[in-house]
Coordinates of all heavy atoms in Angstrom, one line a residue:
M1 N 244.4 220.5 149.0 CA 243.2 220.2 148.2 C 243.7 219.6 146.9 O 244.5 220.1 146.2 CB 242.4 221.5 148.0 CG 241.2 221.3 147.1 SD 240.3 222.8 146.9 CE 240.8 223.2 145.2
A2 N 243.1 218.4 146.6 CA 243.4 217.8 145.3 C 242.2 217.8 144.5 O 241.1 218.0 144.9 CB 243.8 216.4 145.6
D3 N 242.4 217.7 143.2 CA 241.3 217.8 142.2 C 241.5 216.6 141.3 O 242.5 216.0 141.1 CB 241.5 219.1 141.5 CG 240.1 219.8 141.2 OD1 239.1 219.2 141.5 OD2 240.2 220.9 140.8
K4 N 240.4 216.2 140.7 CA 240.4 215.2 139.7 C 241.0 215.7 138.4 O 240.7 216.8 138.0 CB 239.0 214.6 139.4 CG 238.5 213.7 140.5 CD 237.1 213.2 140.2 CE 237.0 212.5 138.9 NZ 235.7 211.9 138.7
C5 N 241.9 214.9 137.8 CA 242.5 215.2 136.5 C 241.4 215.4 135.5 O 240.5 214.6 135.3 CB 243.5 214.1 136.1 SG 244.2 214.4 134.5
K6 N 241.5 216.5 134.8 CA 240.5 216.8 133.7 C 240.7 216.0 132.5 O 239.9 216.0 131.6 CB 240.5 218.3 133.4 CG 240.0 219.2 134.5 CD 240.0 220.7 134.2 CE 239.3 221.5 135.2 NZ 239.6 221.4 136.5
V7 N 241.8 215.3 132.4 CA 242.1 214.5 131.2 C 241.7 213.0 131.5 O 241.0 212.4 130.7 CB 243.6 214.6 130.8 CG1 243.9 213.6 129.7 CG2 243.9 216.0 130.3
C8 N 242.2 212.4 132.6 CA 242.0 211.0 132.8 C 241.2 210.7 134.0 O 240.8 209.5 134.2 CB 243.4 210.3 132.9 SG 244.3 210.6 134.4
G9 N 240.9 211.7 134.8 CA 240.1 211.5 136.0 C 240.8 211.0 137.3 O 240.1 210.8 138.3
A10 N 242.1 210.7 137.2 CA 242.8 210.3 138.4 C 242.9 211.4 139.4 O 242.7 212.6 139.0 CB 244.2 209.8 138.0
K11 N 243.2 211.1 140.6 CA 243.3 212.2 141.6 C 244.7 212.9 141.4 O 245.7 212.3 141.5 CB 243.3 211.5 143.0 CG 243.3 212.5 144.1 CD 243.3 211.9 145.5 CE 243.4 212.9 146.6 NZ 243.3 212.2 147.9
S12 N 244.6 214.2 141.2 CA 245.8 215.0 141.0 C 246.4 215.4 142.4 O 245.6 215.4 143.4 CB 245.5 216.3 140.2 OG 245.2 215.9 138.9
V13 N 247.7 215.6 142.4 CA 248.3 216.0 143.7 C 248.9 217.4 143.6 O 249.3 217.8 142.5 CB 249.4 214.9 144.1 CG1 248.8 213.6 144.3 CG2 250.5 214.8 143.0
Y14 N 249.0 218.0 144.7 CA 249.5 219.4 144.8 C 250.9 219.4 144.2 O 251.7 218.6 144.5 CB 249.5 219.8 146.3 CG 250.2 221.2 146.5 CD1 249.5 222.3 146.2 CD2 251.4 221.3 147.0 CE1 250.1 223.6 146.3 CE2 252.0 222.5 147.2 CZ 251.3 223.6 146.9 OH 251.9 224.9 147.0
F15 N 251.2 220.4 143.4 CA 252.4 220.6 142.7 C 253.1 221.9 143.2 O 254.3 221.9 143.4 CB 252.2 220.6 141.2 CG 253.5 220.8 140.4 CD1 254.3 219.6 140.2 CD2 253.9 222.0 139.9 CE1 255.4 219.7 139.4 CE2 255.1 222.1 139.2 CZ 255.8 221.0 139.0
G16 N 252.4 223.0 143.4 CA 253.0 224.2 143.8 C 252.0 225.4 143.6 O 250.9 225.2 143.2
D17 N 252.5 226.6 144.0 CA 251.7 227.8 143.9 C 252.3 228.7 142.9 O 253.5 228.7 142.7 CB 251.6 228.5 145.2 CG 250.9 227.8 146.3 OD1 250.0 226.9 145.9 OD2 251.1 228.0 147.5
A18 N 251.5 229.6 142.3 CA 252.0 230.6 141.4 C 251.0 231.8 141.5 O 249.8 231.6 141.8 CB 252.1 230.1 140.0
D19 N 251.5 233.0 141.2 CA 250.6 234.1 141.1 C 249.9 234.2 139.8 O 250.6 234.0 138.7 CB 251.5 235.4 141.4 CG 252.0 235.5 142.8 OD1 251.4 234.9 143.7 OD2 253.0 236.1 143.0
V20 N 248.7 234.6 139.8 CA 247.9 234.8 138.6 C 247.4 236.2 138.7 O 246.9 236.7 139.8 CB 246.7 233.8 138.6 CG1 245.7 234.2 137.4 CG2 247.2 232.4 138.4
L21 N 247.4 236.9 137.6 CA 247.0 238.3 137.5 C 247.8 239.2 138.5 O 247.3 240.2 138.9 CB 245.5 238.5 137.7 CG 244.6 237.7 136.8 CD1 243.1 237.9 137.2 CD2 244.8 238.1 135.4
R22 N 249.0 238.7 138.8 CA 249.9 239.5 139.7 C 249.3 239.8 141.1 O 249.7 240.6 141.8 CB 250.3 240.8 139.1 CG 251.1 240.5 137.8 CD 251.6 241.8 137.2 NE 252.3 241.6 136.0 CZ 252.7 242.5 135.2 NH1 252.4 243.8 135.4 NH2 253.3 242.2 134.1
K23 N 248.2 239.0 141.5 CA 247.6 239.3 142.8 C 247.0 238.1 143.5 O 246.7 238.2 144.6 CB 246.6 240.5 142.7 CG 245.4 240.1 141.8 CD 244.5 241.3 141.7 CE 243.4 241.0 140.8 NZ 242.5 242.2 140.6
L24 N 246.7 237.1 142.7 CA 246.1 235.9 143.3 C 247.0 234.7 143.4 O 247.7 234.4 142.4 CB 244.9 235.5 142.4 CG 243.8 236.6 142.1 CD1 242.8 236.1 141.0 CD2 243.1 237.0 143.4
R25 N 247.1 234.1 144.5 CA 247.9 233.0 144.7 C 247.1 231.7 144.4 O 246.1 231.5 145.0 CB 248.4 232.9 146.2 CG 249.6 232.0 146.4 CD 250.8 232.6 145.7 NE 252.0 231.8 146.0 CZ 253.1 231.9 145.3 NH1 253.2 232.9 144.4 NH2 254.1 231.2 145.5
V26 N 247.5 231.0 143.4 CA 246.8 229.9 142.9 C 247.5 228.6 143.0 O 248.7 228.5 142.8 CB 246.4 230.1 141.4 CG1 245.8 228.9 140.7 CG2 245.5 231.4 141.2
Q27 N 246.8 227.5 143.4 CA 247.4 226.2 143.5 C 247.4 225.5 142.2 O 246.4 225.5 141.5 CB 246.7 225.4 144.6 CG 246.8 226.0 146.0 CD 246.1 225.1 147.0 OE1 245.1 224.5 146.7 NE2 246.8 224.9 148.1
Y28 N 248.5 224.7 141.9 CA 248.6 223.9 140.8 C 248.7 222.4 141.2 O 249.3 222.1 142.2 CB 249.9 224.3 139.9 CG 249.7 225.5 139.2 CD1 249.7 226.8 139.8 CD2 249.4 225.5 137.8 CE1 249.5 227.9 139.1 CE2 249.3 226.6 137.1 CZ 249.3 227.9 137.7 OH 249.1 229.0 137.0
F29 N 248.1 221.6 140.4 CA 248.1 220.1 140.7 C 248.6 219.4 139.5 O 248.4 219.8 138.3 CB 246.7 219.7 141.0 CG 246.1 220.4 142.2 CD1 245.4 221.6 142.1 CD2 246.3 219.9 143.5 CE1 245.0 222.3 143.2 CE2 245.8 220.5 144.6 CZ 245.2 221.7 144.5
R30 N 249.2 218.2 139.7 CA 249.8 217.4 138.7 C 249.2 216.0 138.8 O 249.1 215.4 139.9 CB 251.3 217.3 138.7 CG 251.9 216.6 137.6 CD 253.4 216.6 137.7 NE 254.0 216.0 136.5 CZ 254.2 214.6 136.4 NH1 253.8 213.8 137.3 NH2 254.7 214.2 135.3
C31 N 248.8 215.5 137.7 CA 248.2 214.1 137.7 C 249.4 213.1 137.6 O 250.2 213.1 136.7 CB 247.3 213.9 136.4 SG 246.7 212.2 136.2
P32 N 249.4 212.2 138.6 CA 250.5 211.2 138.6 C 250.3 210.1 137.5 O 251.3 209.5 137.2 CB 250.3 210.5 140.0 CG 248.9 210.8 140.4 CD 248.5 212.1 139.7
R33 N 249.1 210.0 137.0 CA 248.9 209.0 135.9 C 249.3 209.5 134.5 O 250.1 208.9 133.8 CB 247.4 208.6 135.9 CG 247.2 207.5 134.8 CD 245.7 207.2 134.6 NE 245.1 206.7 135.8 CZ 243.8 206.6 136.0 NH1 242.9 207.0 135.1 NH2 243.3 206.1 137.1
C34 N 248.9 210.7 134.1 CA 249.2 211.2 132.8 C 250.1 212.4 132.7 O 250.5 212.9 131.6 CB 247.9 211.5 132.0 SG 246.9 212.9 132.6
G35 N 250.3 213.1 133.9 CA 251.2 214.2 133.9 C 250.6 215.6 133.6 O 251.2 216.6 133.6
F36 N 249.2 215.5 133.4 CA 248.5 216.8 133.1 C 248.6 217.7 134.3 O 248.5 217.3 135.5 CB 247.1 216.5 132.8 CG 246.3 217.7 132.5 CD1 246.5 218.3 131.3 CD2 245.3 218.1 133.3 CE1 245.7 219.5 130.9 CE2 244.5 219.2 133.0 CZ 244.7 219.9 131.8
M37 N 248.9 219.0 134.0 CA 248.9 220.0 135.1 C 247.6 220.9 135.0 O 247.2 221.2 133.9 CB 250.1 220.9 134.8 CG 251.4 220.2 134.9 SD 252.0 220.0 136.6 CE 252.1 221.6 137.2
Q38 N 247.1 221.2 136.1 CA 245.9 222.1 136.1 C 245.9 222.9 137.4 O 246.6 222.5 138.4 CB 244.6 221.2 136.0 CG 244.4 220.3 137.2 CD 243.3 219.3 137.0 OE1 243.3 218.6 136.0 NE2 242.4 219.3 137.9
T39 N 245.1 224.0 137.4 CA 245.0 224.8 138.6 C 243.8 224.3 139.4 O 243.1 223.5 139.0 CB 244.8 226.3 138.2 OG1 243.5 226.4 137.5 CG2 245.9 226.8 137.3
E40 N 243.7 224.9 140.6 CA 242.5 224.7 141.3 C 241.3 225.3 140.5 O 241.6 225.9 139.4 CB 242.6 225.5 142.6 CG 242.8 227.0 142.5 CD 243.0 227.7 143.8 OE1 242.1 228.1 144.4 OE2 244.2 227.9 144.1
T41 N 240.1 225.1 140.9 CA 239.0 225.6 140.1 C 239.2 227.1 139.8 O 239.3 227.9 140.7 CB 237.7 225.3 140.8 OG1 237.5 224.0 141.1 CG2 236.5 225.8 140.0
P42 N 239.3 227.5 138.5 CA 239.6 228.9 138.2 C 238.4 229.8 138.5 O 237.3 229.6 137.9 CB 240.0 228.9 136.8 CG 239.3 227.6 136.2 CD 239.2 226.6 137.3
Y43 N 238.6 230.7 139.4 CA 237.6 231.7 139.8 C 238.0 233.1 139.2 O 237.2 234.1 139.4 CB 237.5 231.8 141.3 CG 238.8 232.1 142.0 CD1 239.2 233.4 142.2 CD2 239.6 231.0 142.5 CE1 240.4 233.6 142.9 CE2 240.7 231.3 143.1 CZ 241.2 232.5 143.3 OH 242.3 232.8 144.0
W44 N 239.1 233.2 138.5 CA 239.6 234.5 138.0 C 239.4 234.7 136.5 O 239.8 235.7 136.0 CB 241.1 234.6 138.3 CG 241.8 233.4 137.7 CD1 242.4 233.4 136.4 CD2 242.1 232.2 138.3 NE1 242.9 232.1 136.2 CE2 242.8 231.4 137.4 CE3 241.8 231.6 139.6 CZ2 243.2 230.1 137.6 CZ3 242.2 230.3 139.8 CH2 242.9 229.6 138.9
L45 N 238.7 233.8 135.8 CA 238.6 233.9 134.4 C 237.9 235.1 133.9 O 238.3 235.7 132.9 CB 238.0 232.6 133.8 CG 238.8 231.3 134.1 CD1 238.2 230.1 133.4 CD2 240.3 231.5 133.6
D46 N 236.8 235.4 134.5 CA 236.0 236.6 134.1 C 236.9 237.9 134.1 O 236.9 238.6 133.2 CB 234.8 236.8 134.9 CG 233.7 235.8 134.6 OD1 233.7 235.1 133.6 OD2 232.8 235.6 135.5
E47 N 237.6 238.0 135.2 CA 238.5 239.1 135.4 C 239.6 239.1 134.4 O 240.0 240.0 133.7 CB 239.0 239.2 136.8 CG 239.9 240.4 137.0 CD 240.5 240.5 138.4 OE1 240.1 239.7 139.3 OE2 241.3 241.4 138.7
A48 N 240.2 237.9 134.2 CA 241.4 237.7 133.3 C 241.1 238.0 131.9 O 241.9 238.6 131.2 CB 241.9 236.3 133.5
Y49 N 239.9 237.7 131.5 CA 239.5 237.9 130.1 C 238.7 239.1 129.8 O 238.3 239.3 128.7 CB 238.8 236.6 129.5 CG 239.8 235.4 129.4 CD1 239.6 234.3 130.3 CD2 240.8 235.4 128.5 CE1 240.5 233.3 130.2 CE2 241.7 234.4 128.4 CZ 241.5 233.3 129.3 OH 242.4 232.3 129.2
S50 N 238.4 239.8 130.8 CA 237.5 241.0 130.7 C 238.2 242.1 129.8 O 237.5 242.8 129.0 CB 237.2 241.6 132.0 OG 238.3 242.1 132.6
S51 N 239.5 242.2 129.8 CA 240.1 243.2 128.9 C 241.2 242.6 128.1 O 241.9 243.3 127.4 CB 240.6 244.3 129.8 OG 241.6 243.8 130.7
A52 N 241.4 241.3 128.2 CA 242.6 240.7 127.5 C 242.4 240.7 126.0 O 243.4 240.8 125.2 CB 242.8 239.3 128.0
I53 N 241.2 240.5 125.5 CA 240.9 240.5 124.1 C 240.1 241.7 123.7 O 238.9 241.6 123.4 CB 240.3 239.2 123.7 CG1 241.1 238.0 124.2 CG2 240.1 239.1 122.1 CD1 240.4 236.6 123.9
A54 N 240.8 242.8 123.6 CA 240.1 244.0 123.2 C 240.0 244.1 121.7 O 240.9 243.5 121.0 CB 240.8 245.2 123.8
S55 N 239.1 244.9 121.2 CA 239.0 245.0 119.8 C 240.2 245.6 119.1 O 240.5 245.4 118.0 CB 237.7 245.7 119.4 OG 237.8 247.0 120.0
Q56 N 240.9 246.4 119.9 CA 242.1 247.1 119.4 C 243.3 246.2 119.4 O 244.4 246.6 118.9 CB 242.4 248.4 120.2 CG 241.3 249.4 120.1 CD 240.3 249.1 121.2 OE1 240.4 248.2 122.1 NE2 239.2 249.9 121.3
D57 N 243.2 245.0 120.0 CA 244.4 244.1 120.1 C 244.7 243.4 118.8 O 244.1 242.4 118.5 CB 244.1 243.1 121.2 CG 245.4 242.3 121.5 OD1 246.4 242.5 120.8 OD2 245.3 241.4 122.4
V58 N 245.6 244.0 118.0 CA 245.9 243.4 116.7 C 247.0 242.4 116.8 O 247.4 241.8 115.8 CB 246.2 244.5 115.7 CG1 244.9 245.3 115.4 CG2 247.3 245.3 116.1
G59 N 247.6 242.3 118.0 CA 248.8 241.4 118.1 C 248.4 240.0 118.7 O 249.3 239.2 118.9
I60 N 247.1 239.7 118.9 CA 246.8 238.5 119.6 C 247.2 237.3 118.8 O 247.7 236.3 119.3 CB 245.3 238.5 119.9 CG1 245.0 237.3 120.8 CG2 244.4 238.5 118.7 CD1 243.6 237.3 121.4
M61 N 247.0 237.3 117.5 CA 247.4 236.2 116.6 C 248.9 236.0 116.6 O 249.4 234.9 116.6 CB 246.7 236.2 115.3 CG 246.9 235.0 114.5 SD 246.4 233.5 115.3 CE 244.7 233.7 115.4
F62 N 249.6 237.1 116.5 CA 251.0 237.1 116.5 C 251.5 236.4 117.7 O 252.4 235.6 117.7 CB 251.6 238.5 116.3 CG 253.1 238.6 116.5 CD1 254.0 238.1 115.5 CD2 253.6 239.0 117.7 CE1 255.3 238.1 115.7 CE2 255.0 239.0 117.9 CZ 255.9 238.6 116.9
R63 N 251.0 236.8 118.9 CA 251.5 236.2 120.1 C 251.1 234.7 120.2 O 251.9 233.9 120.7 CB 250.8 237.0 121.3 CG 251.3 238.4 121.5 CD 250.9 239.0 122.8 NE 249.5 239.0 123.0 CZ 248.7 239.9 122.6 NH1 249.1 241.0 121.9 NH2 247.4 239.9 122.8
N64 N 250.0 234.4 119.7 CA 249.6 233.0 119.7 C 250.5 232.1 118.8 O 251.0 231.1 119.2 CB 248.2 232.8 119.3 CG 247.2 233.1 120.4 OD1 247.1 232.3 121.3 ND2 246.5 234.1 120.3
L65 N 250.9 232.7 117.7 CA 251.8 231.9 116.8 C 253.2 231.9 117.4 O 253.9 230.8 117.2 CB 251.8 232.6 115.4 CG 250.5 232.5 114.6 CD1 250.6 233.4 113.4 CD2 250.1 231.1 114.3
M66 N 253.6 232.9 118.0 CA 254.9 233.0 118.6 C 254.9 232.0 119.8 O 255.9 231.2 119.9 CB 255.3 234.4 119.1 CG 256.7 234.5 119.7 SD 257.1 236.2 120.1 CE 256.0 236.5 121.5
N67 N 253.9 231.9 120.6 CA 253.8 231.0 121.7 C 253.8 229.5 121.2 O 254.3 228.6 121.8 CB 252.6 231.3 122.6 CG 252.8 232.5 123.4 OD1 254.0 232.9 123.7 ND2 251.8 233.1 123.8
R68 N 253.1 229.3 120.1 CA 253.1 228.0 119.5 C 254.5 227.5 119.2 O 254.9 226.4 119.5 CB 252.2 228.0 118.2 CG 252.2 226.6 117.5 CD 251.6 226.7 116.2 NE 252.4 227.5 115.3 CZ 252.1 227.8 114.1 NH1 250.9 227.4 113.6 NH2 252.9 228.5 113.3
E69 N 255.3 228.4 118.6 CA 256.7 228.0 118.2 C 257.5 227.7 119.4 O 258.2 226.7 119.4 CB 257.3 229.1 117.4 CG 256.6 229.4 116.0 CD 256.6 228.1 115.1 OE1 257.6 227.4 115.1 OE2 255.6 227.9 114.5
V70 N 257.4 228.5 120.4 CA 258.2 228.3 121.7 C 257.7 227.0 122.4 O 258.6 226.2 122.8 CB 258.1 229.5 122.6 CG1 258.7 229.2 124.0 CG2 258.7 230.8 122.0
T71 N 256.4 226.8 122.5 CA 255.9 225.6 123.1 C 256.3 224.4 122.4 O 256.8 223.4 123.0 CB 254.4 225.7 123.2 OG1 254.0 226.9 123.9 CG2 253.8 224.5 123.9
S72 N 256.3 224.4 121.1 CA 256.7 223.3 120.3 C 258.2 223.0 120.5 O 258.5 221.8 120.6 CB 256.4 223.6 118.8 OG 256.8 222.5 118.0
A73 N 259.0 224.0 120.5 CA 260.4 223.8 120.7 C 260.7 223.2 122.1 O 261.5 222.3 122.2 CB 261.2 225.2 120.6
V74 N 260.0 223.7 123.1 CA 260.3 223.1 124.5 C 259.8 221.7 124.5 O 260.5 220.8 125.1 CB 259.5 224.0 125.5 CG1 259.5 223.3 126.9 CG2 260.1 225.4 125.6
I75 N 258.7 221.4 124.0 CA 258.2 220.0 124.0 C 259.2 219.1 123.2 O 259.5 218.0 123.7 CB 256.8 219.9 123.4 CG1 255.8 220.5 124.3 CG2 256.4 218.4 123.1 CD1 254.4 220.7 123.7
N76 N 259.6 219.5 122.1 CA 260.6 218.7 121.3 C 261.9 218.5 122.0 O 262.5 217.5 121.8 CB 260.8 219.3 119.9 CG 259.5 219.2 119.0 OD1 258.8 218.2 119.2 ND2 259.3 220.1 118.1
L77 N 262.3 219.5 122.7 CA 263.6 219.5 123.4 C 263.5 218.6 124.7 O 264.4 217.8 124.9 CB 264.0 220.9 123.8 CG 265.3 221.0 124.6 CD1 266.5 220.7 123.6 CD2 265.5 222.4 125.1
L78 N 262.5 218.7 125.4 CA 262.4 218.0 126.7 C 261.7 216.7 126.7 O 261.9 215.8 127.6 CB 261.7 218.9 127.7 CG 262.3 220.3 128.0 CD1 261.5 221.1 129.0 CD2 263.7 220.1 128.6
F79 N 260.9 216.4 125.7 CA 260.2 215.2 125.6 C 260.4 214.5 124.2 O 259.5 214.4 123.4 CB 258.7 215.4 125.8 CG 258.3 216.1 127.1 CD1 258.1 217.5 127.1 CD2 258.3 215.4 128.3 CE1 257.9 218.1 128.3 CE2 258.0 216.0 129.5 CZ 257.8 217.4 129.5
T80 N 261.7 214.1 124.0 CA 262.1 213.6 122.7 C 261.3 212.4 122.2 O 261.2 212.1 121.0 CB 263.6 213.4 122.7 OG1 263.9 212.5 123.7 CG2 264.4 214.7 122.8
S81 N 260.9 211.6 123.2 CA 260.2 210.3 122.8 C 258.7 210.5 122.6 O 258.0 209.6 122.2 CB 260.4 209.2 123.8 OG 259.9 209.6 125.1
T82 N 258.2 211.7 122.9 CA 256.8 212.0 122.8 C 256.4 212.2 121.3 O 257.0 213.0 120.6 CB 256.4 213.3 123.6 OG1 256.7 213.1 124.9 CG2 254.9 213.6 123.5
T83 N 255.3 211.6 120.9 CA 254.9 211.7 119.5 C 253.7 212.6 119.4 O 253.3 213.1 118.3 CB 254.6 210.4 118.9 OG1 253.6 209.7 119.7 CG2 255.8 209.5 118.8
S84 N 253.0 212.8 120.5 CA 251.8 213.7 120.4 C 251.6 214.4 121.8 O 252.1 213.8 122.8 CB 250.6 213.0 120.0 OG 250.3 212.0 120.9
C85 N 250.9 215.5 121.8 CA 250.6 216.1 123.1 C 249.2 216.8 123.0 O 248.7 216.9 121.9 CB 251.7 217.1 123.5 SG 251.8 218.5 122.5
L86 N 248.7 217.2 124.1 CA 247.3 217.8 124.1 C 247.4 219.2 124.6 O 248.0 219.5 125.6 CB 246.4 217.0 125.0 CG 245.0 217.6 125.2 CD1 244.2 217.6 124.0 CD2 244.3 216.8 126.3
D87 N 246.9 220.1 123.8 CA 246.7 221.5 124.2 C 245.3 221.6 124.7 O 244.4 221.7 124.0 CB 247.0 222.4 123.0 CG 246.7 223.9 123.4 OD1 246.2 224.2 124.5 OD2 247.0 224.7 122.5
F88 N 245.2 221.6 126.1 CA 243.8 221.6 126.7 C 243.5 222.9 127.3 O 244.0 223.3 128.3 CB 243.8 220.5 127.8 CG 242.5 220.3 128.4 CD1 241.5 219.5 127.8 CD2 242.2 220.9 129.6 CE1 240.3 219.3 128.4 CE2 241.0 220.7 130.3 CZ 240.0 219.9 129.7
G89 N 242.7 223.6 126.6 CA 242.2 224.9 127.1 C 243.2 226.0 127.2 O 243.2 226.8 128.1
A90 N 244.2 226.0 126.3 CA 245.3 227.0 126.4 C 245.0 228.2 125.4 O 246.0 228.9 125.1 CB 246.6 226.3 126.0
G91 N 243.9 228.4 125.0 CA 243.6 229.6 124.2 C 243.5 229.3 122.7 O 243.3 228.1 122.3
H92 N 243.8 230.3 121.9 CA 243.7 230.1 120.5 C 244.8 229.3 119.9 O 245.9 229.3 120.3 CB 243.8 231.5 119.8 CG 242.6 232.4 120.2 ND1 241.3 232.2 119.7 CD2 242.5 233.4 121.0 CE1 240.5 233.1 120.2 NE2 241.2 233.9 121.0
Ligands
ZN101 ZN1 245.5 212.5 134.3

């Protein structure tokens, strides 16, 4: 099953599978035009976010800032000629 790229609209092609929520096997697709990666239509979001952002979770911003640093380092290391990138639906 292929899906249209959510960034440029080209037909994405199957890339691989991965487990989501440690129980769902989800397909990933990659756009041959722009390289954007996306999953099949997500049907697990209600469950995924039902308890992820609890009022007692005081570490959410810390984790987001830490993930920003790691993501930035990976992008700078692997895509040295890239001057910009898009964070599409990746949370806070
Ligand atoms: Zn695309």
Side-chain angles (χ1 to χ4, degrees):
M1 179 178 102
D3 221 348
K4 283 178 57 175
C5 174
K6 290 180 170 53
V7 174
C8 74
K11 183 179 178 183
S12 292
V13 295
Y14 174 76
F15 183 81
D17 292 339
D19 291 334
V20 171
L21 302 178
R22 298 182 179 168
K23 62 182 178 184
L24 304 172
R25 198 69 178 164
V26 172
Q27 293 183 320
Y28 284 76
F29 299 89
R30 184 178 186 278
C31 175
R33 183 188 295 166
C34 72
F36 182 70
M37 297 281 298
Q38 64 191 51
T39 66
E40 61 187 274
T41 302
Y43 54 88
W44 56 88
L45 297 182
D46 287 344
E47 181 180 355
Y49 292 111
S50 65
S51 62
I53 305 176
S55 60
Q56 299 86 3
D57 186 358
V58 294
I60 190 168
M61 189 51 68
F62 171 76
R63 292 192 302 276
N64 280 293
L65 294 173
M66 187 173 67
N67 286 336
R68 177 190 67 183
E69 296 301 320
V70 171
T71 302
S72 177
V74 169
I75 290 170
N76 289 329
L77 180 67
L78 300 178
F79 304 98
T80 55
S81 63
T82 300
T83 57
S84 62
C85 66
L86 172 66
D87 175 354
F88 183 82
H92 296 288

